[in-house]
Amino acid sequence: MRLTRSRALSILVLACGGSLLPTTSLAQPAFTPLTGNYAAMSRNGQHVLTVQTNGDVSHWSPSTGQIPFGINVGTTGYVSAITDDGSVVTGNHRNALNQTMAFRWTSATGMVDLGDLPGGNTFSTPRDMSADGNVIVGSSGSTASGTRDEAFRWTPATGIQPLGDLPGGNYTSTAHSISADGTTVVGYSNQTLGYEAFRYTQATGMVGLGDLPGGYFNSQAYKISSGGDVIVGYSSDSLNREQAFRWTATSGLVALGFGSSNPNEWSQAHAVSNNGNVIVGNNNTGATIADVDALIWDPAHGMRFLQAALAQDYGISVANSNVVQAWDVSDNGYTLAGSGYFNGTPQSWVFVPEPTAVTLLILPAILFPRRRVQR
């Protein structure tokens, strides 16, 4: 199952220690609703972008709150990444030829289309960007993939380049995330047995990560830590449920579990902090908004409902429908962002300590020592 950002899901957060954030040295944490559909957060958590229904992009930061960003991606466009200084944005839009095309934006250049891979359907979809904004990854139609996707990597020097796919199956691959230095790409590809998460470097090419034992073969990688050593996503388990995973070169795929004993529940991981100790994603027990539950997992408590954890740890009361989806976590692991419903209207949210608070999060390194959407 491919997941899009429009699906009503719940939240899975992997944290180390007893709570999401340290509470002794911080000012009152803030859960802030934002207008528009959630789009992207910078690695440092200082910039959050949303897209309004008319295509206008809005920008949130702790110092300014939510204000217009000054670009419009159209009613079918979106943005997918922004650099830590807010100077580079990538996304896609309908260009002058009415083609769905990836772009790279700076204030000096405006939106510059990245083009697409030769052959196949004409489109390109960016999903992530390196820390300096000079490497962008995503997928595009190509001669090999035809109407399907092939993963690409773009730089100003090389332009858009194909990354290939795993052997066997329909020729399909999608790049979802890239490390901060632009060297390591993750995503998924279709191979003989089914979809498989991959890790790509120029030295190794595309290498499959396997899947969880039992059930049908299926795994998909959605995010890599900025340092490039932790990968998260989901895989089918022995009961054929989608289950969130955490991957390192040492551990391989490790299942993160579910929020309850409901046999119909599934979970997916979508973002990870730089040290790999905080993971956010989505969890669900059914097909409607009524089946959505926001959850938190940490080694001390196991799975908890996120709204209950916010109330217990920070005294914040948040309705479950307000935190339906979590899509991003900052590199330091404390700023979360996602989407939900506010008074019945789809909107976005950011959870972060007040700007005057201490912004350094120290997580227990003992638990996980650091090692080095679909169209």
Side-chain angles (χ1 to χ4, degrees):
M1 177 185 295
R2 294 192 183 185
L3 181 67
T4 68
R5 293 193 173 188
S6 62
R7 290 184 57 185
L9 308 170
S10 64
I11 298 174
L12 167 74
V13 179
L14 166 63
C16 288
S19 62
L20 285 171
L21 307 176
T23 58
T24 56
S25 61
L26 295 178
Q28 179 65 36
F31 182 90
T32 304
L34 306 174
T35 63
N37 293 316
Y38 180 76
M41 182 171 72
S42 59
R43 295 174 189 264
N44 62 6
Q46 297 299 298
H47 304 277
V48 175
L49 299 179
T50 66
V51 179
Q52 308 301 318
T53 55
N54 66 352
D56 284 342
V57 177
S58 296
H59 171 268
W60 173 93
S61 72
S63 59
T64 66
Q66 189 174 22
I67 59 175
F69 192 65
I71 64 175
N72 184 291
V73 295
T75 57
T76 62
Y78 70 89
V79 292
S80 57
I82 181 171
T83 54
D84 280 353
D85 62 1
S87 66
V88 185
V89 170
T90 188
N92 79 359
H93 70 136
R94 289 278 185 177
N95 63 14
L97 299 177
N98 201 33
Q99 300 164 332
T100 298
M101 198 64 59
F103 69 81
R104 181 179 184 270
W105 173 94
T106 69
S107 59
T109 65
M111 290 185 193
V112 177
D113 285 358
L114 305 186
D116 71 331
L117 296 173
N121 282 8
T122 302
F123 72 90
S124 55
T125 303
R127 290 183 171 87
D128 201 10
M129 181 168 56
S130 61
D132 63 6
N134 286 326
V135 187
I136 296 171
V137 296
S139 61
S140 173
S142 69
T143 301
S145 67
T147 60
R148 297 180 294 272
D149 291 9
E150 179 174 1
F152 73 75
R153 182 178 184 271
W154 175 95
T155 72
T158 66
I160 190 168
Q161 296 294 316
L163 299 185
D165 80 330
L166 296 173
N170 293 328
Y171 196 102
T172 304
S173 61
T174 296
H176 267 288
S177 183
I178 189 169
S179 57
D181 64 5
T183 63
T184 308
V185 181
V186 300
Y188 60 88
S189 177
N190 189 248
Q191 44 95 309
T192 304
L193 298 176
Y195 285 109
E196 182 174 7
F198 72 75
R199 179 179 182 271
Y200 171 94
T201 69
Q202 289 184 314
T204 64
M206 191 176 289
V207 177
L209 302 183
D211 78 333
L212 296 176
Y216 61 82
F217 194 99
N218 178 40
S219 65
Q220 302 189 22
Y222 277 100
K223 200 71 173 183
I224 187 170
S225 61
S226 285
D229 48 5
V230 182
I231 298 169
V232 299
Y234 76 88
S235 176
S236 296
D237 65 11
S238 60
L239 297 179
N240 288 325
R241 298 175 299 179
E242 296 172 0
Q243 183 169 174
F245 72 73
R246 180 183 188 274
W247 178 97
T248 69
T250 301
S251 68
L253 268 67
V254 175
L256 300 182
F258 305 94
S260 74
S261 59
N262 187 329
N264 297 317
E265 188 172 358
W266 53 262
S267 60
Q268 299 182 346
H270 277 269
V272 58
S273 63
N274 188 36
N275 63 6
N277 292 344
V278 181
I279 296 169
V280 300
N282 303 303
N283 170 293
N284 203 353
T285 57
T288 71
I289 190 67
D291 302 309
V292 173
D293 289 304
L295 304 173
I296 177 173
W297 182 98
D298 66 74
H301 301 96
M303 283 285 192
R304 294 186 292 170
F305 292 115
L306 180 57
Q307 65 268 37
L310 293 175
Q312 178 183 344
D313 296 344
Y314 318 112
I316 295 178
S317 178
V318 181
N320 182 54
S321 61
N322 287 357
V323 289
V324 169
Q325 297 164 304
W327 297 111
D328 274 313
V329 59
S330 57
D331 271 354
N332 62 14
Y334 74 88
T335 303
L336 311 178
S339 55
Y341 290 82
F342 300 89
N343 297 321
T345 301
Q347 288 187 312
S348 305
W349 55 266
V350 59
F351 177 67
V352 63
E354 292 291 344
T356 55
V358 177
T359 58
L360 176 63
L361 173 65
I362 303 174
L363 294 170
I366 295 176
L367 293 173
F368 296 107
R370 186 174 177 210
R371 311 171 182 89
R372 275 302 292 172
V373 183
Q374 182 170 333
R375 304 198 306 282

